[in-house]
Amino acid sequence: MSAPDTRGYRPGHPWYYLLGGEVLPPKVIRLEARLAEYKGYRQEEILSAARRPEPQRTRLLNKIRDEVSQSLKANISRYREVARELHAYRNAHAGEPILNCSEAVHTAMSLKYAHIYNDFGHLELLDTLPRQIDLFDLL
């Protein structure tokens, strides 16, 4: 079977899924964010925290990392749920002509993709920052 023609739409757009686009695994989404050198919408907040003096710097960066990690976990969980809904939708509508407007499931997939992409962008940026070694880590 050949890949569907998504007409240039990317996974962040509902029409990508409407036209039969593949549900990408989180590892692929992370790779896409890395290759695009995407830093996420919290880039300025992260860089601002990185300019702070210690110990506020480490405390803020750890707080942001924890928030992003929790967000990523929740977004991936919901992404998987919506992917199952999309699979069921596609099975229920197999063989029917493609509509000229997307359904809620297509929009939900594109939004969850974008949220995961952003979370990975934030983590990639955080991973590029030098880390302060905690003296207690040496014990």
Side-chain angles (χ1 to χ4, degrees):
M1 187 172 160
S2 64
D5 177 14
T6 59
R7 300 180 197 159
Y9 289 106
R10 303 276 307 131
H13 194 285
W15 274 56
Y16 172 85
Y17 301 100
L18 173 69
L19 297 170
E22 175 186 4
V23 175
L24 301 176
K27 286 182 181 180
V28 172
I29 300 171
R30 183 174 198 151
L31 181 62
E32 286 184 343
R34 180 180 295 141
L35 292 175
E37 298 180 3
Y38 183 67
K39 306 301 182 201
Y41 68 88
R42 294 179 76 175
Q43 178 180 3
E44 286 305 315
E45 176 188 2
I46 292 168
L47 295 176
S48 176
R51 290 189 293 269
R52 292 293 222 17
E54 289 297 346
Q56 295 90 358
R57 177 187 184 278
T58 297
R59 193 175 311 125
L60 279 172
L61 291 175
N62 287 342
K63 179 180 179 274
I64 293 169
R65 181 178 294 279
D66 289 345
E67 290 170 359
V68 171
S69 295
Q70 288 175 5
S71 173
L72 179 62
K73 183 178 177 183
N75 283 322
I76 288 175
S77 177
R78 179 65 182 138
Y79 183 74
R80 288 182 175 135
E81 289 175 16
V82 177
R84 285 190 296 274
E85 293 171 16
L86 177 64
H87 181 70
Y89 175 89
R90 286 177 173 173
N91 283 340
H93 295 85
E96 294 179 10
I98 296 174
L99 303 174
N100 62 0
C101 63
S102 59
E103 298 286 340
V105 69
H106 304 120
T107 302
M109 280 301 301
S110 66
L111 287 172
K112 282 296 110 184
Y113 169 89
H115 293 162
I116 292 168
Y117 189 86
N118 259 302
D119 288 338
F120 280 135
H122 299 138
L123 290 175
E124 289 296 323
L125 176 57
L126 288 163
D127 288 346
T128 65
L129 299 174
R131 292 191 131 188
Q132 176 74 23
I133 296 175
D134 190 333
L135 293 177
F136 294 107
D137 289 342
L138 300 175
L139 297 178

